[in-house]
Amino acid sequence: MCPHSPRLEIGKKVIQPSKPEWGNGTVLEFNNTDVKIRFEKVGLKIIRYKQAAIPLKEGYWPPPISEKLIKKLNPCLGYYIPRNQLSQDRFSEEILRIKNKDLEVTKEYANQIINILKFPIYEDYLRSSIICVAPSSDKDNLDTGIKKLAHFLLKNLSLVDGIDLLIRTESIKKASNGGPRDKALHISTISIEEKNLIKNKNVFLIDDIRTTGTTMDACEYLLKEAGALQVIPMTLAETIYVKDYKSQPNHEARIPQKTYYQEKINCLNKFNFHMKNK
């Protein structure tokens, strides 16, 4: 047996690291010379130990993304100032235009996100991931601005359409309007269509504005309960409140959105250079 191969067992999950396009494999049979594996993308493969140039590895593809990289996606584009807190800046106004399905602004910011997610450190993890959108607090609001943006991402990235998988079954009050911050309530009012689509897959979960975080937390919980391997959350913007804004003179919410975006790109370039030269 190849010394770098895992200890084989029927039903064990394996990958061929240099062949991610094969997807995840399940060991069906093995003997002293070869192993029979069914890969999700290419079907049945028989790998002979002595002839295998690429050793098997136990686990799933892609490997888990680090919390550090997930943190860089939240917020992805900047900070949102609520209307009743301070005078809104241009970015906050344009986030509302995205919510109101302004396609010109939506495409502009979708392109910023695409530029971020095309860095190899994200693209490798997100390839063939399911893209899901956090549902509106209003169960009848099915055609949301964030879904429009998700469709732009779907066209330009190697993602699988799961945009409508998460459904609000009962309307609740928005958190920004004093609504509940109870994760359990969100869990009880959101359902997942076609759970089999996300089983053993990575899920890219997106929303427009993170206010309390309970909606995203509930969606992440439900997706993992349904069998998702890993949930990678991303919000376009995060709410900044007046007390935090005024008490933190160096807070990132104070810099123009274009500067915030460019600093993120610069940071990712440095990270990418470091990984290449490791």
Side-chain angles (χ1 to χ4, degrees):
M1 183 184 296
C2 176
H4 299 294
S5 292
R7 184 178 179 85
L8 293 178
E9 295 175 6
I10 302 299
K12 178 162 278 190
K13 301 299 181 183
V14 293
I15 56 171
Q16 285 279 31
S18 70
K19 296 282 187 181
E21 66 272 19
W22 287 7
N24 300 307
T26 303
V27 175
L28 301 180
E29 297 177 19
F30 63 93
N31 54 37
N32 291 330
T33 60
D34 52 46
V35 55
K36 187 182 291 186
I37 303 169
R38 184 174 301 281
F39 290 94
E40 60 183 2
K41 302 292 185 183
V42 294
L44 190 65
K45 292 283 183 180
I46 297 176
I47 298 175
R48 299 189 182 279
Y49 297 137
K50 292 182 179 179
Q51 297 175 10
I54 309 155
L56 293 170
K57 285 191 177 179
E58 185 175 354
Y60 290 95
W61 184 268
I65 190 170
S66 72
E67 289 298 321
K68 181 178 180 181
L69 291 178
I70 290 177
K71 191 174 180 181
K72 287 184 183 296
L73 291 178
N74 294 285
C76 188
L77 300 180
Y79 289 84
Y80 170 77
I81 300 171
R83 283 173 171 166
N84 61 345
Q85 295 281 322
L86 295 163
S87 296
Q88 286 196 310
D89 60 1
R90 180 174 179 268
F91 175 65
S92 297
E93 292 170 354
E94 292 189 334
I95 283 291
L96 292 180
R97 288 173 66 185
I98 291 173
K99 288 178 77 70
N100 290 326
K101 295 177 281 189
D102 182 316
L103 292 184
E104 183 180 349
V105 175
T106 299
K107 188 173 182 180
E108 176 188 347
Y109 286 105
N111 283 329
Q112 285 192 11
I113 295 169
I114 289 164
N115 289 338
I116 290 169
L117 297 180
K118 281 195 171 179
F119 273 86
I121 55 174
Y122 289 122
E123 193 172 42
D124 287 347
Y125 291 112
L126 293 174
R127 187 179 291 114
S128 300
S129 291
I130 314 297
I131 182 170
C132 285
V133 174
S136 168
S137 56
D138 178 0
K139 71 179 181 66
D140 296 319
N141 185 16
L142 302 178
D143 184 26
T144 60
I146 190 64
K147 284 187 178 181
K148 299 288 186 191
L149 187 141
H151 281 289
F152 277 114
L153 301 186
L154 191 62
K155 289 178 184 177
N156 290 277
L157 298 167
S158 300
L159 297 165
V160 177
D161 189 355
I163 291 171
D164 295 313
L165 282 180
L166 292 165
I167 296 175
R168 182 75 68 175
T169 57
E170 183 181 338
S171 297
I172 62 172
K173 193 174 181 180
K174 289 183 179 180
S176 58
N177 292 333
R181 303 187 178 195
D182 183 0
K183 177 179 168 181
L185 178 60
H186 283 279
I187 290 171
S188 68
T189 59
I190 297 173
S191 68
I192 303 176
E193 297 289 301
E194 298 183 63
K195 291 184 179 180
N196 60 305
L197 184 64
I198 63 172
K199 190 165 180 153
N200 294 331
K201 299 289 179 64
N202 283 347
V203 177
F204 182 45
L205 173 66
I206 69 171
D207 200 2
D208 43 28
I209 303 172
R210 182 183 179 94
T211 303
T212 65
T214 50
T215 302
M216 290 289 274
D217 289 347
C219 291
E220 185 170 351
Y221 171 84
L222 287 166
L223 290 164
K224 287 181 177 177
E225 281 288 296
L229 283 180
Q230 188 175 25
V231 179
I232 304 165
M234 184 197 79
T235 49
L236 308 189
E238 183 175 318
T239 298
I240 179 75
Y241 292 103
V242 62
K243 62 181 178 62
D244 299 317
Y245 188 90
K246 289 183 175 179
S247 66
Q248 301 177 48
N250 296 320
H251 196 284
E252 290 177 315
R254 293 177 177 272
I255 65 176
Q257 192 279 329
K258 286 188 176 179
T259 303
Y260 178 91
Y261 166 69
Q262 190 56 55
E263 287 181 356
K264 181 160 287 195
I265 292 294
N266 294 341
C267 179
L268 291 172
N269 273 319
K270 289 178 184 176
F271 192 91
N272 192 52
F273 178 80
H274 172 72
M275 294 300 291
K276 280 184 177 179
N277 292 278
K278 221 174 178 184

